[in-house]
Amino acid sequence: MCGIYGMVTFGAAPPDTAAVIERMGHALRHRGPDDRAVLTSREATIGTERLRITDPSARAAQPFASPDGTVWLACNGAIYNAGALRARYPRYPYRSRSDIEPILPLYLDRGPAGLADLDGMFAIAVWDAARGRLLLARDRAGEKPLFHSRVADTVWFASEVQALLEHPAVPRDLDSAALDDYLTFGYVPEPRTMFAAIHKVEAGTVMSFDARGEGTMRYWVPELVPLEPTSAERAETELAERLGIAVRKQLAADVPVGVFTSGGVDSSLIATLAAEARVPHELHTFSVGFAAADFDESDHAEALADRLGSQHLALRVAEHDLREALDLVSERVAEPIADPAILPTCLLARAARERVGVILSGEGADELFGGYPTYLGHRAAPLYAALPPRARRALRGAANALPSSAGRVPLEFLLKRFAADAERDTLERHVAWFGTGLDPGAWSEGEHCASWLPVVRADPDPLRQAMLFDYLTYLRDQLLPKVDRATMLFSLEARSPYLDRDLTTFALGLPTSLKLRGITTKWLLKRVARRRLPRRITHRRKRGLSVPIAAWINGDLRTEVDRLLDGERLRAQGVLRSERVGQLLSEHRAGRANHARALWPLVVYQRWRERWLGN
C-alpha cells in the first residue's frame, strides 16, 4: 500500500519537475510514511510513498524496474493472486516477496491486457520507455484511487487530488457539470472531479498515454455479467465458500489485521469468518458509538466481539470529536465527500492504527446482495402506481402529514419520499430516493447530465438496474473514497472482502429473487450468515454507520452552518440560490422538516470551496 505519483512528458521537459514531484510526495506521505523512492529520466518520473504491509524489507521498496530498466512500475494496493503469478513466471529475477513485483513479469509477457489478470485492489502506473507509453489502471470496483491531469505535453498523475494541485500550472477551475452531479447525488461520478482539469482513472480500466494521444481499455464490464440460474441451496453453498476464500485471501499481511464491526450482518459475517481463519485472540475488532441512543450500535458490536473472543476496541464519539474530524477532512482531502460517516470512520481509523496495519470492512455487500431499503421501494412502486389516483393522493397526504423526526432514517422520511417519487421511472426515483434530495432550484448552474444511465437501463429487471447503478456510482464514487481517504489519512490499509473479484462476479450473476424475498433484504447473504451468527444479528433492521447530523446542524455546528450558508456569501458565489437554501435551513431549525440529507452536502461543499478554491 502506498501513494503513487509522477509525470511523463511527450514534448520538452517541463521546468521545476523535481520541486513539483517533491511537493506531490509530501502531499501523499500519509498514505505511505515508511519509505520514499523516486525513479526519474528525461521523459518520466515515478514516485512512491510506501506503507509496509507485505515484505517490509527494503528489497520490496517501489517503484520496481524491469531487469533491463526500460519498464517502471508503481502500485497502490494489494494483489491477492501474487503467488499464482510468481508460479506462472518462476524465472523472473524477483528481488522481494512483495505482492506488487509480480505485476512486472505479467506486463512484460502480456502487455496492458495482462492487467486484467490481477486479483486485488490496485491503482497502477507503468512507464514503458521502449514504447514511449504511460499506463494508468485501476481495480474493478475502484477501491484504490488514481487521478490524472494534462499540462501542455505532460501527463501528471497521483493517488489523491491534492497532490496534483501542488503543480502551479494545474488550474483550479470548477467543473460545473461535476458540481451539478454532486448536488444531485452527493458525489461526483467518474471520470469527473470537481476540478475541470483533473480526472479520475475509471474503475476497471487501463488508460494509455503516448505521443499520439490517449485511449482507454475497459477490462471489466459488470453490466454484461450474465445471469446464472441456480437453486437457493446451491447458491448458498457457493456464496459461503467464495466469501470464506475472499476473507482468507485478504487476511494475508505481514502486519496485524483487524475488522471494522457495526453489529450488522455484513461486518459481523466478515469478523466471524476472519476469526475462524485465525487464532481468535490475534484478531482485532473495532466499533464506534455515539451518545445519541438512536445512532449507537456499539453494544451489538461488543456482543459479537465477546462471542468471537477478539481483541475489541469500542470508541465513543462526541460532537467535539466529529468537529475535529470534519476540520481534518476539510483541510487535507481535496474532494467534497458528503457521506458524514467519513467523520467517525476517520476517528476509528486513527484508533485502529495504534493496533493494526490492515482493516477489513463490509463495503459492497449492500450493492451486490440487495441490502438497501430503496430496493424494497422499487418492488412496491408498481403496486402503488396501480392504485386509483384518489387513493394515491390520499396516501401522499397522509405521509406528508406525519411529523418530522431527527432519527437516523425515520420511517416518516421513507414514507414521504416513497409517496413523492414512486411513480417515476426506476432510475429517476432511485436517484430521488438515494441522492441529496435537493431540488434543482436550489442551485443556478448546469443542467443535470445523465448520459450514462442508459447503460444500466438496458437491463429489463428494475431491481437489477438499481443495484447496478449503486455498484457503478454510489459504491465507486462515495463509499469507497470515504473509506480510502479516512483510513489512509492515518496510514491504515482498508480491504473489502465482498469486492473480491470472483465473489463479485458470482454476486452480479445472481437473480434478484435470491437477493430480495418478500420484505427481506440480502436474503441469500442472511441465509449464509444465520449458520454462523445469532438470530438477533441476522434479523436486525439495516442501520449502517450514521451520524446525528440533523441535531448537530441545530446544535454545536449551528454557528458554522450559519456562516457557510449565509445568504450574502451564497449570492456572492453565484452558485447556490440563497432563498431556497435559507428556506431549507429555517424549516430544519424550526423542526418543520428534517433537511439534514440536503443541507449536509451544502455544508461540505462550502467547506471544500473555502479550502480549495479560496472563496
PDB file of all heavy atoms in Angstrom, residues 523-556:
ATOM      1  N   TRP A 523     -31.343 -11.477   1.224  1.00  0.00           N
ATOM      2  CA  TRP A 523     -31.917 -12.754   1.629  1.00  0.00           C
ATOM      3  C   TRP A 523     -30.883 -13.886   1.602  1.00  0.00           C
ATOM      4  O   TRP A 523     -30.737 -14.636   2.564  1.00  0.00           O
ATOM      5  CB  TRP A 523     -33.100 -13.090   0.720  1.00  0.00           C
ATOM      6  CG  TRP A 523     -33.797 -14.367   1.059  1.00  0.00           C
ATOM      7  CD1 TRP A 523     -34.715 -14.570   2.041  1.00  0.00           C
ATOM      8  CD2 TRP A 523     -33.615 -15.641   0.423  1.00  0.00           C
ATOM      9  NE1 TRP A 523     -35.127 -15.881   2.060  1.00  0.00           N
ATOM     10  CE2 TRP A 523     -34.469 -16.566   1.071  1.00  0.00           C
ATOM     11  CE3 TRP A 523     -32.828 -16.084  -0.633  1.00  0.00           C
ATOM     12  CZ2 TRP A 523     -34.546 -17.904   0.691  1.00  0.00           C
ATOM     13  CZ3 TRP A 523     -32.891 -17.413  -1.015  1.00  0.00           C
ATOM     14  CH2 TRP A 523     -33.747 -18.315  -0.348  1.00  0.00           C
ATOM     15  N   LEU A 524     -30.148 -13.985   0.493  1.00  0.00           N
ATOM     16  CA  LEU A 524     -29.181 -15.081   0.369  1.00  0.00           C
ATOM     17  C   LEU A 524     -28.024 -14.906   1.353  1.00  0.00           C
ATOM     18  O   LEU A 524     -27.594 -15.870   1.994  1.00  0.00           O
ATOM     19  CB  LEU A 524     -28.649 -15.166  -1.060  1.00  0.00           C
ATOM     20  CG  LEU A 524     -27.668 -16.316  -1.333  1.00  0.00           C
ATOM     21  CD1 LEU A 524     -28.361 -17.656  -1.157  1.00  0.00           C
ATOM     22  CD2 LEU A 524     -27.074 -16.198  -2.732  1.00  0.00           C
ATOM     23  N   LEU A 525     -27.520 -13.684   1.474  1.00  0.00           N
ATOM     24  CA  LEU A 525     -26.412 -13.445   2.391  1.00  0.00           C
ATOM     25  C   LEU A 525     -26.831 -13.764   3.824  1.00  0.00           C
ATOM     26  O   LEU A 525     -26.034 -14.315   4.601  1.00  0.00           O
ATOM     27  CB  LEU A 525     -25.945 -11.994   2.280  1.00  0.00           C
ATOM     28  CG  LEU A 525     -24.664 -11.646   3.024  1.00  0.00           C
ATOM     29  CD1 LEU A 525     -23.472 -12.403   2.450  1.00  0.00           C
ATOM     30  CD2 LEU A 525     -24.395 -10.143   2.982  1.00  0.00           C
ATOM     31  N   LYS A 526     -28.061 -13.456   4.177  1.00  0.00           N
ATOM     32  CA  LYS A 526     -28.540 -13.749   5.530  1.00  0.00           C
ATOM     33  C   LYS A 526     -28.698 -15.256   5.754  1.00  0.00           C
ATOM     34  O   LYS A 526     -28.539 -15.734   6.877  1.00  0.00           O
ATOM     35  CB  LYS A 526     -29.847 -13.012   5.793  1.00  0.00           C
ATOM     36  CG  LYS A 526     -29.658 -11.504   5.952  1.00  0.00           C
ATOM     37  CD  LYS A 526     -30.967 -10.761   6.105  1.00  0.00           C
ATOM     38  CE  LYS A 526     -30.733  -9.269   6.255  1.00  0.00           C
ATOM     39  NZ  LYS A 526     -31.999  -8.495   6.323  1.00  0.00           N
ATOM     40  N   ARG A 527     -28.997 -15.996   4.696  1.00  0.00           N
ATOM     41  CA  ARG A 527     -29.051 -17.457   4.828  1.00  0.00           C
ATOM     42  C   ARG A 527     -27.661 -18.005   5.176  1.00  0.00           C
ATOM     43  O   ARG A 527     -27.525 -18.935   5.978  1.00  0.00           O
ATOM     44  CB  ARG A 527     -29.554 -18.097   3.532  1.00  0.00           C
ATOM     45  CG  ARG A 527     -31.070 -18.066   3.398  1.00  0.00           C
ATOM     46  CD  ARG A 527     -31.496 -18.642   2.053  1.00  0.00           C
ATOM     47  NE  ARG A 527     -31.153 -20.046   1.893  1.00  0.00           N
ATOM     48  CZ  ARG A 527     -32.013 -21.054   2.056  1.00  0.00           C
ATOM     49  NH1 ARG A 527     -33.273 -20.810   2.407  1.00  0.00           N
ATOM     50  NH2 ARG A 527     -31.634 -22.303   1.842  1.00  0.00           N
ATOM     51  N   VAL A 528     -26.637 -17.436   4.564  1.00  0.00           N
ATOM     52  CA  VAL A 528     -25.273 -17.834   4.898  1.00  0.00           C
ATOM     53  C   VAL A 528     -24.928 -17.394   6.316  1.00  0.00           C
ATOM     54  O   VAL A 528     -24.340 -18.147   7.102  1.00  0.00           O
ATOM     55  CB  VAL A 528     -24.271 -17.229   3.887  1.00  0.00           C
ATOM     56  CG1 VAL A 528     -22.830 -17.467   4.341  1.00  0.00           C
ATOM     57  CG2 VAL A 528     -24.494 -17.817   2.497  1.00  0.00           C
ATOM     58  N   ALA A 529     -25.328 -16.177   6.661  1.00  0.00           N
ATOM     59  CA  ALA A 529     -24.976 -15.616   7.971  1.00  0.00           C
ATOM     60  C   ALA A 529     -25.643 -16.363   9.117  1.00  0.00           C
ATOM     61  O   ALA A 529     -25.045 -16.514  10.193  1.00  0.00           O
ATOM     62  CB  ALA A 529     -25.363 -14.137   8.016  1.00  0.00           C
ATOM     63  N   ARG A 530     -26.858 -16.837   8.910  1.00  0.00           N
ATOM     64  CA  ARG A 530     -27.589 -17.450  10.020  1.00  0.00           C
ATOM     65  C   ARG A 530     -26.944 -18.742  10.498  1.00  0.00           C
ATOM     66  O   ARG A 530     -27.214 -19.202  11.606  1.00  0.00           O
ATOM     67  CB  ARG A 530     -29.035 -17.697   9.622  1.00  0.00           C
ATOM     68  CG  ARG A 530     -29.244 -18.820   8.624  1.00  0.00           C
ATOM     69  CD  ARG A 530     -30.697 -18.942   8.211  1.00  0.00           C
ATOM     70  NE  ARG A 530     -30.910 -20.069   7.302  1.00  0.00           N
ATOM     71  CZ  ARG A 530     -32.081 -20.351   6.742  1.00  0.00           C
ATOM     72  NH1 ARG A 530     -33.132 -19.585   6.994  1.00  0.00           N
ATOM     73  NH2 ARG A 530     -32.192 -21.394   5.938  1.00  0.00           N
ATOM     74  N   ARG A 531     -26.056 -19.332   9.701  1.00  0.00           N
ATOM     75  CA  ARG A 531     -25.339 -20.537  10.128  1.00  0.00           C
ATOM     76  C   ARG A 531     -24.180 -20.199  11.059  1.00  0.00           C
ATOM     77  O   ARG A 531     -23.634 -21.093  11.720  1.00  0.00           O
ATOM     78  CB  ARG A 531     -24.815 -21.299   8.900  1.00  0.00           C
ATOM     79  CG  ARG A 531     -25.909 -21.835   7.995  1.00  0.00           C
ATOM     80  CD  ARG A 531     -25.315 -22.596   6.830  1.00  0.00           C
ATOM     81  NE  ARG A 531     -26.358 -23.120   5.951  1.00  0.00           N
ATOM     82  CZ  ARG A 531     -26.961 -24.305   6.121  1.00  0.00           C
ATOM     83  NH1 ARG A 531     -26.608 -25.070   7.151  1.00  0.00           N
ATOM     84  NH2 ARG A 531     -27.893 -24.707   5.293  1.00  0.00           N
ATOM     85  N   ARG A 532     -23.797 -18.915  11.092  1.00  0.00           N
ATOM     86  CA  ARG A 532     -22.634 -18.521  11.889  1.00  0.00           C
ATOM     87  C   ARG A 532     -22.938 -17.418  12.901  1.00  0.00           C
ATOM     88  O   ARG A 532     -22.124 -17.171  13.791  1.00  0.00           O
ATOM     89  CB  ARG A 532     -21.511 -18.035  10.961  1.00  0.00           C
ATOM     90  CG  ARG A 532     -20.853 -19.150  10.158  1.00  0.00           C
ATOM     91  CD  ARG A 532     -19.764 -18.589   9.270  1.00  0.00           C
ATOM     92  NE  ARG A 532     -18.921 -19.653   8.726  1.00  0.00           N
ATOM     93  CZ  ARG A 532     -19.219 -20.349   7.632  1.00  0.00           C
ATOM     94  NH1 ARG A 532     -20.339 -20.101   6.985  1.00  0.00           N
ATOM     95  NH2 ARG A 532     -18.403 -21.297   7.199  1.00  0.00           N
ATOM     96  N   LEU A 533     -24.069 -16.740  12.732  1.00  0.00           N
ATOM     97  CA  LEU A 533     -24.375 -15.589  13.582  1.00  0.00           C
ATOM     98  C   LEU A 533     -25.661 -15.809  14.348  1.00  0.00           C
ATOM     99  O   LEU A 533     -26.566 -16.505  13.884  1.00  0.00           O
ATOM    100  CB  LEU A 533     -24.511 -14.318  12.731  1.00  0.00           C
ATOM    101  CG  LEU A 533     -23.298 -13.903  11.907  1.00  0.00           C
ATOM    102  CD1 LEU A 533     -23.651 -12.698  11.046  1.00  0.00           C
ATOM    103  CD2 LEU A 533     -22.107 -13.581  12.810  1.00  0.00           C
ATOM    104  N   PRO A 534     -25.795 -15.187  15.518  1.00  0.00           N
ATOM    105  CA  PRO A 534     -27.046 -15.293  16.265  1.00  0.00           C
ATOM    106  C   PRO A 534     -28.197 -14.604  15.542  1.00  0.00           C
ATOM    107  O   PRO A 534     -27.996 -13.681  14.754  1.00  0.00           O
ATOM    108  CB  PRO A 534     -26.735 -14.591  17.593  1.00  0.00           C
ATOM    109  CG  PRO A 534     -25.399 -13.995  17.468  1.00  0.00           C
ATOM    110  CD  PRO A 534     -24.762 -14.437  16.206  1.00  0.00           C
ATOM    111  N   ARG A 535     -29.389 -15.047  15.826  1.00  0.00           N
ATOM    112  CA  ARG A 535     -30.590 -14.527  15.171  1.00  0.00           C
ATOM    113  C   ARG A 535     -30.742 -13.025  15.361  1.00  0.00           C
ATOM    114  O   ARG A 535     -31.221 -12.317  14.480  1.00  0.00           O
ATOM    115  CB  ARG A 535     -31.816 -15.264  15.731  1.00  0.00           C
ATOM    116  CG  ARG A 535     -33.144 -14.843  15.113  1.00  0.00           C
ATOM    117  CD  ARG A 535     -34.306 -15.580  15.766  1.00  0.00           C
ATOM    118  NE  ARG A 535     -35.592 -15.120  15.253  1.00  0.00           N
ATOM    119  CZ  ARG A 535     -36.175 -15.601  14.175  1.00  0.00           C
ATOM    120  NH1 ARG A 535     -35.598 -16.563  13.501  1.00  0.00           N
ATOM    121  NH2 ARG A 535     -37.339 -15.124  13.779  1.00  0.00           N
ATOM    122  N   ARG A 536     -30.326 -12.504  16.521  1.00  0.00           N
ATOM    123  CA  ARG A 536     -30.503 -11.074  16.799  1.00  0.00           C
ATOM    124  C   ARG A 536     -29.705 -10.202  15.830  1.00  0.00           C
ATOM    125  O   ARG A 536     -30.016  -9.028  15.646  1.00  0.00           O
ATOM    126  CB  ARG A 536     -30.091 -10.763  18.233  1.00  0.00           C
ATOM    127  CG  ARG A 536     -28.615 -10.938  18.543  1.00  0.00           C
ATOM    128  CD  ARG A 536     -28.275 -10.550  19.964  1.00  0.00           C
ATOM    129  NE  ARG A 536     -26.856 -10.692  20.256  1.00  0.00           N
ATOM    130  CZ  ARG A 536     -26.280 -11.807  20.631  1.00  0.00           C
ATOM    131  NH1 ARG A 536     -27.015 -12.902  20.791  1.00  0.00           N
ATOM    132  NH2 ARG A 536     -24.963 -11.854  20.866  1.00  0.00           N
ATOM    133  N   ILE A 537     -28.662 -10.778  15.216  1.00  0.00           N
ATOM    134  CA  ILE A 537     -27.897 -10.028  14.223  1.00  0.00           C
ATOM    135  C   ILE A 537     -28.501 -10.183  12.843  1.00  0.00           C
ATOM    136  O   ILE A 537     -28.700  -9.203  12.120  1.00  0.00           O
ATOM    137  CB  ILE A 537     -26.421 -10.484  14.222  1.00  0.00           C
ATOM    138  CG1 ILE A 537     -25.739 -10.070  15.522  1.00  0.00           C
ATOM    139  CG2 ILE A 537     -25.674  -9.897  13.023  1.00  0.00           C
ATOM    140  CD1 ILE A 537     -24.292 -10.498  15.618  1.00  0.00           C
ATOM    141  N   THR A 538     -28.809 -11.411  12.449  1.00  0.00           N
ATOM    142  CA  THR A 538     -29.305 -11.640  11.088  1.00  0.00           C
ATOM    143  C   THR A 538     -30.683 -11.032  10.869  1.00  0.00           C
ATOM    144  O   THR A 538     -31.064 -10.762   9.727  1.00  0.00           O
ATOM    145  CB  THR A 538     -29.355 -13.140  10.772  1.00  0.00           C
ATOM    146  OG1 THR A 538     -30.196 -13.804  11.731  1.00  0.00           O
ATOM    147  CG2 THR A 538     -27.967 -13.748  10.815  1.00  0.00           C
ATOM    148  N   HIS A 539     -31.450 -10.800  11.947  1.00  0.00           N
ATOM    149  CA  HIS A 539     -32.800 -10.265  11.785  1.00  0.00           C
ATOM    150  C   HIS A 539     -32.905  -8.790  12.164  1.00  0.00           C
ATOM    151  O   HIS A 539     -34.007  -8.235  12.202  1.00  0.00           O
ATOM    152  CB  HIS A 539     -33.792 -11.077  12.636  1.00  0.00           C
ATOM    153  CG  HIS A 539     -34.097 -12.420  12.052  1.00  0.00           C
ATOM    154  ND1 HIS A 539     -33.193 -13.456  12.072  1.00  0.00           N
ATOM    155  CD2 HIS A 539     -35.198 -12.891  11.423  1.00  0.00           C
ATOM    156  CE1 HIS A 539     -33.726 -14.521  11.477  1.00  0.00           C
ATOM    157  NE2 HIS A 539     -34.937 -14.201  11.084  1.00  0.00           N
ATOM    158  N   ARG A 540     -31.764  -8.151  12.429  1.00  0.00           N
ATOM    159  CA  ARG A 540     -31.815  -6.731  12.753  1.00  0.00           C
ATOM    160  C   ARG A 540     -32.107  -5.905  11.523  1.00  0.00           C
ATOM    161  O   ARG A 540     -31.667  -6.210  10.413  1.00  0.00           O
ATOM    162  CB  ARG A 540     -30.473  -6.274  13.335  1.00  0.00           C
ATOM    163  CG  ARG A 540     -30.241  -6.660  14.779  1.00  0.00           C
ATOM    164  CD  ARG A 540     -28.917  -6.117  15.258  1.00  0.00           C
ATOM    165  NE  ARG A 540     -28.924  -4.670  15.196  1.00  0.00           N
ATOM    166  CZ  ARG A 540     -27.866  -3.928  14.873  1.00  0.00           C
ATOM    167  NH1 ARG A 540     -26.738  -4.512  14.542  1.00  0.00           N
ATOM    168  NH2 ARG A 540     -27.950  -2.627  14.867  1.00  0.00           N
ATOM    169  N   ARG A 541     -32.816  -4.798  11.730  1.00  0.00           N
ATOM    170  CA  ARG A 541     -33.064  -3.848  10.648  1.00  0.00           C
ATOM    171  C   ARG A 541     -31.741  -3.200  10.257  1.00  0.00           C
ATOM    172  O   ARG A 541     -30.908  -2.890  11.105  1.00  0.00           O
ATOM    173  CB  ARG A 541     -34.040  -2.771  11.125  1.00  0.00           C
ATOM    174  CG  ARG A 541     -34.294  -1.664  10.103  1.00  0.00           C
ATOM    175  CD  ARG A 541     -35.126  -0.555  10.734  1.00  0.00           C
ATOM    176  NE  ARG A 541     -35.167   0.619   9.890  1.00  0.00           N
ATOM    177  CZ  ARG A 541     -35.602   1.814  10.285  1.00  0.00           C
ATOM    178  NH1 ARG A 541     -36.038   1.973  11.518  1.00  0.00           N
ATOM    179  NH2 ARG A 541     -35.604   2.845   9.465  1.00  0.00           N
ATOM    180  N   LYS A 542     -31.539  -2.992   8.947  1.00  0.00           N
ATOM    181  CA  LYS A 542     -30.316  -2.364   8.475  1.00  0.00           C
ATOM    182  C   LYS A 542     -30.201  -0.964   9.053  1.00  0.00           C
ATOM    183  O   LYS A 542     -31.130  -0.172   8.989  1.00  0.00           O
ATOM    184  CB  LYS A 542     -30.286  -2.292   6.946  1.00  0.00           C
ATOM    185  CG  LYS A 542     -29.037  -1.574   6.449  1.00  0.00           C
ATOM    186  CD  LYS A 542     -28.949  -1.549   4.951  1.00  0.00           C
ATOM    187  CE  LYS A 542     -27.759  -0.719   4.500  1.00  0.00           C
ATOM    188  NZ  LYS A 542     -26.494  -1.166   5.100  1.00  0.00           N
ATOM    189  N   ARG A 543     -28.987  -0.657   9.601  1.00  0.00           N
ATOM    190  CA  ARG A 543     -28.781   0.660  10.177  1.00  0.00           C
ATOM    191  C   ARG A 543     -27.640   1.404   9.483  1.00  0.00           C
ATOM    192  O   ARG A 543     -27.791   2.553   9.109  1.00  0.00           O
ATOM    193  CB  ARG A 543     -28.478   0.545  11.680  1.00  0.00           C
ATOM    194  CG  ARG A 543     -29.517  -0.243  12.448  1.00  0.00           C
ATOM    195  CD  ARG A 543     -30.878   0.428  12.435  1.00  0.00           C
ATOM    196  NE  ARG A 543     -30.883   1.657  13.190  1.00  0.00           N
ATOM    197  CZ  ARG A 543     -31.113   1.723  14.506  1.00  0.00           C
ATOM    198  NH1 ARG A 543     -31.306   0.612  15.200  1.00  0.00           N
ATOM    199  NH2 ARG A 543     -31.140   2.887  15.130  1.00  0.00           N
ATOM    200  N   GLY A 544     -26.481   0.770   9.347  1.00  0.00           N
ATOM    201  CA  GLY A 544     -25.339   1.444   8.763  1.00  0.00           C
ATOM    202  C   GLY A 544     -24.692   2.387   9.765  1.00  0.00           C
ATOM    203  O   GLY A 544     -25.204   2.627  10.854  1.00  0.00           O
ATOM    204  N   LEU A 545     -23.532   2.939   9.389  1.00  0.00           N
ATOM    205  CA  LEU A 545     -22.826   3.884  10.248  1.00  0.00           C
ATOM    206  C   LEU A 545     -23.370   5.279   9.970  1.00  0.00           C
ATOM    207  O   LEU A 545     -23.042   5.901   8.956  1.00  0.00           O
ATOM    208  CB  LEU A 545     -21.317   3.823   9.982  1.00  0.00           C
ATOM    209  CG  LEU A 545     -20.445   4.773  10.812  1.00  0.00           C
ATOM    210  CD1 LEU A 545     -20.665   4.551  12.299  1.00  0.00           C
ATOM    211  CD2 LEU A 545     -18.984   4.590  10.445  1.00  0.00           C
ATOM    212  N   SER A 546     -24.216   5.765  10.853  1.00  0.00           N
ATOM    213  CA  SER A 546     -24.845   7.065  10.673  1.00  0.00           C
ATOM    214  C   SER A 546     -24.354   8.038  11.729  1.00  0.00           C
ATOM    215  O   SER A 546     -23.874   7.649  12.794  1.00  0.00           O
ATOM    216  CB  SER A 546     -26.363   6.940  10.745  1.00  0.00           C
ATOM    217  OG  SER A 546     -26.851   6.105   9.721  1.00  0.00           O
ATOM    218  N   VAL A 547     -24.512   9.307  11.433  1.00  0.00           N
ATOM    219  CA  VAL A 547     -24.065  10.386  12.301  1.00  0.00           C
ATOM    220  C   VAL A 547     -25.269  11.288  12.595  1.00  0.00           C
ATOM    221  O   VAL A 547     -26.065  11.559  11.692  1.00  0.00           O
ATOM    222  CB  VAL A 547     -22.947  11.202  11.612  1.00  0.00           C
ATOM    223  CG1 VAL A 547     -22.478  12.346  12.502  1.00  0.00           C
ATOM    224  CG2 VAL A 547     -21.776  10.290  11.256  1.00  0.00           C
ATOM    225  N   PRO A 548     -25.422  11.756  13.831  1.00  0.00           N
ATOM    226  CA  PRO A 548     -26.581  12.607  14.169  1.00  0.00           C
ATOM    227  C   PRO A 548     -26.457  14.013  13.595  1.00  0.00           C
ATOM    228  O   PRO A 548     -26.377  15.008  14.324  1.00  0.00           O
ATOM    229  CB  PRO A 548     -26.571  12.604  15.706  1.00  0.00           C
ATOM    230  CG  PRO A 548     -25.166  12.301  16.093  1.00  0.00           C
ATOM    231  CD  PRO A 548     -24.626  11.396  15.023  1.00  0.00           C
ATOM    232  N   ILE A 549     -26.458  14.103  12.279  1.00  0.00           N
ATOM    233  CA  ILE A 549     -26.260  15.381  11.589  1.00  0.00           C
ATOM    234  C   ILE A 549     -27.409  16.348  11.847  1.00  0.00           C
ATOM    235  O   ILE A 549     -27.193  17.554  12.036  1.00  0.00           O
ATOM    236  CB  ILE A 549     -26.093  15.145  10.074  1.00  0.00           C
ATOM    237  CG1 ILE A 549     -24.789  14.400   9.793  1.00  0.00           C
ATOM    238  CG2 ILE A 549     -26.129  16.460   9.304  1.00  0.00           C
ATOM    239  CD1 ILE A 549     -23.548  15.162  10.183  1.00  0.00           C
ATOM    240  N   ALA A 550     -28.645  15.842  11.849  1.00  0.00           N
ATOM    241  CA  ALA A 550     -29.810  16.730  12.000  1.00  0.00           C
ATOM    242  C   ALA A 550     -29.706  17.547  13.279  1.00  0.00           C
ATOM    243  O   ALA A 550     -29.928  18.766  13.281  1.00  0.00           O
ATOM    244  CB  ALA A 550     -31.090  15.906  11.975  1.00  0.00           C
ATOM    245  N   ALA A 551     -29.360  16.871  14.382  1.00  0.00           N
ATOM    246  CA  ALA A 551     -29.227  17.581  15.659  1.00  0.00           C
ATOM    247  C   ALA A 551     -27.971  18.448  15.674  1.00  0.00           C
ATOM    248  O   ALA A 551     -27.964  19.538  16.268  1.00  0.00           O
ATOM    249  CB  ALA A 551     -29.189  16.569  16.803  1.00  0.00           C
ATOM    250  N   TRP A 552     -26.927  17.992  15.037  1.00  0.00           N
ATOM    251  CA  TRP A 552     -25.653  18.727  15.026  1.00  0.00           C
ATOM    252  C   TRP A 552     -25.813  20.079  14.319  1.00  0.00           C
ATOM    253  O   TRP A 552     -25.259  21.090  14.748  1.00  0.00           O
ATOM    254  CB  TRP A 552     -24.599  17.866  14.350  1.00  0.00           C
ATOM    255  CG  TRP A 552     -23.184  18.263  14.639  1.00  0.00           C
ATOM    256  CD1 TRP A 552     -22.722  19.001  15.685  1.00  0.00           C
ATOM    257  CD2 TRP A 552     -22.037  17.912  13.858  1.00  0.00           C
ATOM    258  NE1 TRP A 552     -21.356  19.144  15.618  1.00  0.00           N
ATOM    259  CE2 TRP A 552     -20.908  18.484  14.504  1.00  0.00           C
ATOM    260  CE3 TRP A 552     -21.848  17.171  12.702  1.00  0.00           C
ATOM    261  CZ2 TRP A 552     -19.611  18.336  14.012  1.00  0.00           C
ATOM    262  CZ3 TRP A 552     -20.556  17.016  12.219  1.00  0.00           C
ATOM    263  CH2 TRP A 552     -19.462  17.591  12.851  1.00  0.00           C
ATOM    264  N   ILE A 553     -26.572  20.101  13.217  1.00  0.00           N
ATOM    265  CA  ILE A 553     -26.795  21.344  12.476  1.00  0.00           C
ATOM    266  C   ILE A 553     -27.474  22.389  13.360  1.00  0.00           C
ATOM    267  O   ILE A 553     -27.200  23.592  13.271  1.00  0.00           O
ATOM    268  CB  ILE A 553     -27.638  21.068  11.210  1.00  0.00           C
ATOM    269  CG1 ILE A 553     -26.789  20.306  10.178  1.00  0.00           C
ATOM    270  CG2 ILE A 553     -28.175  22.363  10.606  1.00  0.00           C
ATOM    271  CD1 ILE A 553     -27.564  19.832   8.975  1.00  0.00           C
ATOM    272  N   ASN A 554     -28.351  21.923  14.225  1.00  0.00           N
ATOM    273  CA  ASN A 554     -29.057  22.843  15.124  1.00  0.00           C
ATOM    274  C   ASN A 554     -28.331  23.048  16.449  1.00  0.00           C
ATOM    275  O   ASN A 554     -28.757  23.869  17.266  1.00  0.00           O
ATOM    276  CB  ASN A 554     -30.467  22.320  15.415  1.00  0.00           C
ATOM    277  CG  ASN A 554     -31.372  22.410  14.211  1.00  0.00           C
ATOM    278  OD1 ASN A 554     -31.066  23.102  13.252  1.00  0.00           O
ATOM    279  ND2 ASN A 554     -32.489  21.704  14.257  1.00  0.00           N
ATOM    280  N   GLY A 555     -27.242  22.278  16.657  1.00  0.00           N
ATOM    281  CA  GLY A 555     -26.548  22.321  17.939  1.00  0.00           C
ATOM    282  C   GLY A 555     -25.167  22.924  17.826  1.00  0.00           C
ATOM    283  O   GLY A 555     -25.007  24.099  17.462  1.00  0.00           O
ATOM    284  N   ASP A 556     -24.138  22.104  18.117  1.00  0.00           N
ATOM    285  CA  ASP A 556     -22.773  22.614  18.185  1.00  0.00           C
ATOM    286  C   ASP A 556     -22.261  23.167  16.861  1.00  0.00           C
ATOM    287  O   ASP A 556     -21.334  23.988  16.856  1.00  0.00           O
ATOM    288  CB  ASP A 556     -21.829  21.502  18.657  1.00  0.00           C
ATOM    289  CG  ASP A 556     -21.971  21.212  20.143  1.00  0.00           C
ATOM    290  OD1 ASP A 556     -22.822  21.877  20.774  1.00  0.00           O
ATOM    291  OD2 ASP A 556     -21.268  20.332  20.662  1.00  0.00           O
TER     292      ASP A 556
END
